[in-house]
Amino acid sequence: MITFNKDSRFFHLSTKNTSYVFGVYQMNHLIHLYWGAKIPEENVLTHYLSTQRMSFSARDDGFTAGSTDNLTMEYPTFGSTDLRSPAFDCVFADGSRVPQLRYYSHKIYDGKPKLEGLPATYCEEGDKVQTLEVELVDSVKDLHVFLNYSVFEDYDVITRSVRVENRGEKCKITTILSASVDLNSAHNYDFIHLDGAWAKERAVNRQPLFHGKQSVDSKRGATSAHHNCFVALSEHNANETMGEVYSMNLVYSGNFEAGCEVDSYDTGRMFIGINPFEFGWTLENGETFQSPEAVLVYSNKGLGAMSRIYHKLYRERLCRGKFRDIERYALINNWEATYMRFNEEKLLAIAEKAKDIGLDLFVLDDGWFGKRDVDNCSLGDWVVYKEKLPNGLSGLAQKLNALGLKFGLWVEPEMVSPNSDLYRAHPDWALQTKGRVPSTGRTQLVLDLSRKDVREFTINWLTEILSSANIEYIKWDMNRNMTEVGSLLLSDERQSEVYHRYILGLYEILETITSRFPNILFESCSGGGGRFDPGMLHYMPQTWTSDDSDAVERVYIQYGTSMCYPYSAMGAHVSACPNHQVRRTTPFEMRGHVALPGQFGFELDLSKLTDEEIEIAKQQVKEYKEFGAVFHRGDCYRLISPFESHISALNFVSEDKNTVILLRYRTVAKPNEPYAFVKLQGLEPDAIYVRRDNGARYSGAFLMNAGIPWEFASTEYQSAMTVFDKQ
Ligand code: GLA
């Protein structure tokens, strides 16, 4: 998997289908040589090094390549001859910058170490995983930078992270990216990223790269609904099934930047990491800093293959705990059914119907604590609202359990309402900048999780509440962007650390609570999908994908989300019509067909459904129980994109390859249309597949090459789920 050639001084990292090569060059500069489809190790690759280009910055002290500005660098710094954007930068005690990092040593070993205080992918006994640790040193300042690479051979993944050890005088890190890769011929590539806003998260965006720097980022304190911490560069003609794609995803839930800087020679510096904007971290002598992990995936079989690599890795080696490997709960959530206007009687009426249609879990959403009837108070006062729930959480849980349902609860632990006893007692516990009035968002402030006392308070009340009743699921929400970010406890110099310290604090709380309560299923949420990232998935295996529960909107949102996140991570519910976000009315069947591949549930007042709707709901729950494993552990193939056509389709192939499920959606009515055929993917060409609804027999080759007709009337909001069994 990882070799070091002592003669050429090249590191060769190889997965099942890819190679990643870099080496130690003149004057111990670390240069990048190759990332792409697998190549033999013996290839020397020196032809990648060009010394022909002119540069306005060059050294004449024995570096015959003249300038690092012209080379593909492995972990670039700024201020010497490479004047492109750096992966690492810092200010030393004397005010100087210009860090100069040179190769010093390396280690190769089996397995993969944990990242101190941060979420990361991991390996298990028997996995083919190796790690390379390259030590770079700035010998003038005694600053040591360790580049970590872990190769997941069978998963076709390489992860990268960076650790800094300061053995010299105090310095302040201002940029520390997790990965930076210089790729030649960037003019051949498109820049793909996922953007959106509240209720329209992760739309697929794609434009050709241009000369100069292009990036997406978050300065909102969380990954955000606006951009996701994912970037891909694909050949212009790459599609779902063919073409080269380079991609990076950051295992982090805070401010990030991801992008590419294309220089005048068409070399693209692709990068991802903590957003350098407003970031600064002081390291005293002897202190260390650990960057988050970047996950690097290369595919020469298009975007579909790239996504399936992420899906499998995240399902199996990012998510943890007992819920990683078992089918999770089909649930009813009362949010869109009642909002905060509920009492025990109303909840139980919904719960009875939930039991009737076969659901497993009842989730009580916002409004159960303090005096919370509207969203302008009580966050922080995690005491049961007795007028609504006279028997408390345990009384409600007992009644639900007696009905045969599990009980789940909504919490928003990172927040405090100005109108709360907690805020009145501890106004200093909110994030704030000295001398500035903190802005509210949804009438709430953000708790300063960089503070130990706030973290202890949070862990304590959560432990108390979770132990107070038979709670088997938690929805962990976070409903605003961060503003006036600062901490009253930190020194002036360290205020630039608050964003990252907040995230480290959050991870500490999540690690403590999720390991203290291993039998609780946790789902994360941030005004819907505002913090849908691999960092959160490490602690909580599923995320509420979007507050937009409209079936048509969800076709787009879930398609975009699936670029790097598996359907097993996407909370998806059938909700009421007209839909509460867009007022659209879609058939009950379509709402089911859209929600079924995700972590399925209902979010409407079940007691108001007609008898006919109850029968459909029962059928949907039955299908979910039967096919959940196909959606959540099988392979997903995106066949037709909703971003390109008003009809879209995807198919799933079960882990044992015996079951194939085709989902088709039509979002717009069009008269007199051309014939449309859907060609499936991922089947065995010679196997015979029998269609369950009509017994028709097809070879895999036929389904994949000829396809089956669209088959529906041209009215809007059509959908179908078609199951095939391999003979
Ligand atoms: C957020 C969530 C919703 C719901 C509300 C409750 O918006 O995304 O699902 O839980 O908060 O206030």
Side-chain angles (χ1 to χ4, degrees):
M1 274 171 273
I2 302 178
T3 57
F4 178 65
N5 183 317
K6 286 204 175 76
D7 300 327
S8 62
R9 300 211 294 173
F10 288 171
F11 297 98
H12 193 116
L13 285 56
S14 55
T15 68
K16 204 166 46 179
N17 296 301
T18 72
S19 297
Y20 185 104
V21 189
F22 63 99
V24 185
Y25 193 46
Q26 292 174 18
M27 299 179 69
N28 290 336
H29 280 286
L30 210 59
I31 49 165
H32 179 77
L33 292 160
Y34 178 79
W35 181 24
K38 198 156 185 162
I39 52 170
E41 269 171 47
E42 52 274 17
N43 287 24
V44 175
L45 288 166
T46 35
H47 60 277
Y48 266 71
L49 302 174
S50 159
T51 54
Q52 304 305 314
R53 297 163 178 165
M54 299 295 291
S55 174
F56 270 25
S57 58
R59 292 182 75 92
D60 53 11
D61 51 4
F63 190 64
T64 59
S67 173
T68 52
D69 216 16
N70 297 332
L71 294 173
T72 45
M73 304 303 291
E74 184 61 18
Y75 198 65
T77 54
F78 184 78
S80 289
T81 58
D82 184 351
L83 299 175
R84 295 166 289 182
S85 298
F88 182 84
D89 203 8
C90 65
V91 189
F92 296 103
D94 58 6
S96 68
R97 299 184 84 108
V98 198
Q100 296 187 335
L101 301 176
R102 301 286 192 271
Y103 169 81
Y104 182 72
S105 72
H106 74 268
K107 281 194 280 195
I108 297 171
Y109 49 88
D110 288 341
K112 179 174 191 285
K114 280 190 171 175
L115 287 199
E116 194 57 41
L118 285 164
T121 56
Y122 56 88
C123 61
E124 290 196 337
E125 194 71 29
D127 287 355
K128 287 193 217 143
V129 176
Q130 273 193 338
T131 296
L132 162 68
E133 195 175 296
V134 180
E135 181 178 9
L136 307 176
V137 177
D138 181 324
S139 55
V140 173
K141 300 292 184 184
D142 212 3
L143 188 71
H144 296 242
V145 172
F146 297 84
L147 307 182
N148 264 59
Y149 301 79
S150 291
V151 174
F152 287 76
E153 183 173 1
D154 291 337
Y155 286 87
D156 258 330
V157 166
I158 294 173
T159 62
R160 286 182 62 175
S161 68
V162 181
R163 186 168 51 86
V164 180
E165 256 178 57
N166 184 17
R167 298 184 196 157
E169 282 178 28
K170 173 163 121 174
C171 74
K172 186 173 190 169
I173 302 170
T174 52
T175 299
I176 177 163
L177 298 179
S178 299
S180 168
V181 180
D182 286 351
L183 297 167
N184 284 315
S185 309
H187 59 282
N188 288 335
Y189 296 103
D190 286 347
F191 181 69
I192 300 176
H193 60 101
L194 305 172
D195 73 6
W198 174 77
K200 51 175 209 172
E201 299 90 340
R202 290 172 297 285
V204 182
N205 256 273
R206 181 170 178 166
Q207 304 87 17
L209 282 173
F210 55 80
H211 284 126
K213 189 169 174 180
Q214 46 242 269
S215 70
V216 291
D217 77 348
S218 168
K219 307 181 200 67
R220 294 165 187 273
T223 17
S224 90
H226 298 254
H227 295 292
N228 198 262
C229 47
F230 164 79
V231 57
L233 304 185
S234 77
E235 282 181 315
H236 297 314
N237 63 352
N239 59 24
E240 280 296 315
T241 55
M242 54 156 275
E244 282 198 298
V245 189
Y246 298 89
S247 65
M248 295 178 175
N249 193 197
L250 193 67
V251 187
Y252 190 58
S253 312
N255 290 348
F256 72 90
E257 188 179 10
C260 185
E261 182 181 39
V262 184
D263 71 13
S264 321
Y265 307 108
D266 291 337
T267 299
R269 176 162 288 174
M270 184 183 187
F271 63 89
I272 199 160
I274 291 180
N275 197 341
F277 178 79
E278 299 250 319
F279 172 81
W281 194 279
T282 300
L283 284 185
E284 300 287 348
N285 174 281
E287 287 186 341
T288 63
F289 183 86
Q290 172 66 58
S291 86
E293 171 172 284
V295 179
L296 276 61
V297 174
Y298 166 85
S299 149
N300 59 3
K301 296 194 174 58
L303 291 160
M306 172 203 74
S307 297
R308 285 185 293 279
I309 292 173
Y310 280 113
H311 293 177
K312 191 169 163 58
L313 181 80
Y314 289 176
R315 282 193 311 253
E316 298 176 1
R317 294 295 180 264
L318 174 72
C319 293
R320 299 175 297 171
K322 104 173 194 192
F323 294 97
R324 185 189 74 176
D325 300 324
I326 58 174
E327 274 314 298
R328 305 187 199 138
Y329 309 130
L331 61 83
I332 169 75
N333 178 304
N334 76 311
W335 180 243
E336 289 195 21
T338 66
Y339 296 100
M340 296 188 203
R341 297 178 297 277
F342 59 81
N343 55 29
E344 195 186 80
E345 199 186 338
K346 175 75 210 156
L347 299 180
L348 290 172
I350 297 173
E352 270 166 35
K353 287 287 179 187
K355 182 61 201 165
D356 192 32
I357 63 172
L359 294 173
D360 307 306
L361 171 83
F362 181 96
V363 181
L364 174 56
D365 211 282
D366 195 355
W368 59 266
F369 52 93
K371 291 274 171 222
R372 190 133 159 119
D373 293 315
V374 276
D375 60 11
N376 63 4
C377 71
S378 302
L379 290 167
D381 298 345
W382 300 101
V383 179
V384 174
Y385 195 161
K386 281 280 182 180
E387 280 97 276
K388 288 183 187 175
L389 300 172
N391 303 305
L393 294 177
S394 64
L396 178 62
Q398 277 162 19
K399 289 186 182 155
L400 291 168
N401 291 166
L403 273 176
L405 289 173
K406 296 177 191 302
F407 174 47
L409 192 66
W410 177 97
V411 291
E412 196 176 357
E414 299 162 64
M415 298 290 152
V416 62
S417 306
N419 181 9
S420 67
D421 293 341
L422 182 69
Y423 187 71
R424 282 182 283 272
H426 299 286
D428 52 326
W429 280 13
L431 285 178
Q432 54 201 282
T433 296
K434 276 185 233 157
R436 308 284 168 194
V437 178
S439 311
T440 54
R442 208 195 190 202
T443 9
Q444 60 201 50
L445 298 171
V446 185
L447 284 172
D448 178 0
L449 301 190
S450 75
R451 293 173 66 126
K452 193 157 183 283
D453 49 2
V454 174
R455 294 199 296 276
E456 276 170 5
F457 163 81
T458 308
I459 288 170
N460 288 343
W461 78 255
L462 276 165
T463 302
E464 224 169 274
I465 289 281
L466 298 187
S467 314
S468 72
N470 189 17
I471 295 170
E472 298 185 68
Y473 162 103
I474 281 290
K475 177 177 173 188
W476 182 296
D477 212 339
M478 193 278 192
N479 276 316
R480 61 161 292 178
N481 293 149
M482 296 181 195
T483 57
E484 292 90 18
V485 171
S487 172
L488 294 186
L489 272 197
L490 279 177
S491 64
D492 296 349
E493 181 183 47
R494 290 191 180 268
Q495 291 300 315
S496 54
E497 298 175 11
V498 178
Y499 281 111
H500 183 61
R501 281 184 185 271
Y502 178 95
I503 296 295
L504 292 179
L506 171 65
Y507 289 152
E508 184 188 305
I509 295 169
L510 290 174
E511 182 68 36
T512 310
I513 292 296
T514 55
S515 38
R516 200 169 277 177
F517 296 95
N519 294 321
I520 294 182
L521 169 63
F522 286 84
E523 173 159 350
S524 83
C525 175
S526 178
R531 207 164 52 183
F532 204 130
D533 61 60
M536 296 314 277
L537 290 178
H538 187 62
Y539 304 97
M540 318 199 214
Q542 60 194 65
T543 301
W544 179 228
T545 313
S546 176
D547 271 350
D548 194 338
S549 61
D550 170 63
V552 171
E553 291 295 307
R554 277 296 188 111
V555 168
Y556 294 84
I557 294 167
Q558 293 174 189
Y559 183 97
T561 303
S562 78
M563 274 297 141
C564 52
Y565 306 107
Y567 273 83
S568 59
M570 297 184 212
H573 302 167
V574 171
S575 64
C577 279
N579 173 268
H580 294 192
Q581 292 78 37
V582 296
R583 311 304 301 163
R584 185 184 277 129
T585 295
T586 51
F588 207 93
E589 288 86 345
M590 181 180 192
R591 283 175 262 162
H593 289 149
V594 174
L596 273 167
Q599 292 296 344
F600 180 78
F602 291 84
E603 188 148 340
L604 43 70
D605 189 344
L606 292 172
S607 66
K608 291 194 179 135
L609 293 189
T610 63
D611 290 348
E612 194 193 337
E613 285 170 332
I614 286 285
E615 287 315 306
I616 306 174
K618 278 185 185 163
Q619 180 61 21
Q620 289 170 345
V621 177
K622 212 168 130 251
E623 286 170 345
Y624 180 68
K625 304 242 156 159
E626 184 174 0
F627 301 126
V630 181
F631 298 128
H632 302 153
R633 283 200 284 281
D635 283 330
C636 167
Y637 296 85
R638 293 180 297 255
L639 307 176
I640 307 175
S641 165
F643 292 97
E644 287 161 16
S645 162
H646 60 284
I647 57 172
S648 61
L650 64 161
N651 76 257
F652 292 83
V653 180
S654 64
E655 214 176 3
D656 64 8
K657 311 282 179 223
N658 289 335
T659 311
V660 176
I661 303 179
L662 169 67
L663 288 162
R664 286 171 282 175
Y665 311 113
R666 171 200 283 280
T667 52
V668 173
K670 296 234 185 231
N672 212 4
E673 286 196 290
Y675 294 115
F677 290 85
V678 182
K679 297 176 185 177
L680 281 72
Q681 291 176 32
L683 314 191
E684 290 165 33
D686 298 332
I688 296 297
Y689 295 85
V690 180
R691 184 171 159 163
R692 265 198 210 178
D693 59 358
N694 63 12
R697 295 166 68 84
Y698 305 92
S699 69
F702 181 89
L703 289 172
M704 292 194 291
N705 299 321
I708 61 170
W710 183 250
E711 296 183 318
F712 304 116
S714 54
T715 53
E716 60 193 350
Y717 316 143
Q718 297 282 322
S719 68
M721 182 168 95
T722 313
V723 183
F724 299 86
D725 296 299
K726 195 176 90 179
Q727 289 296 283

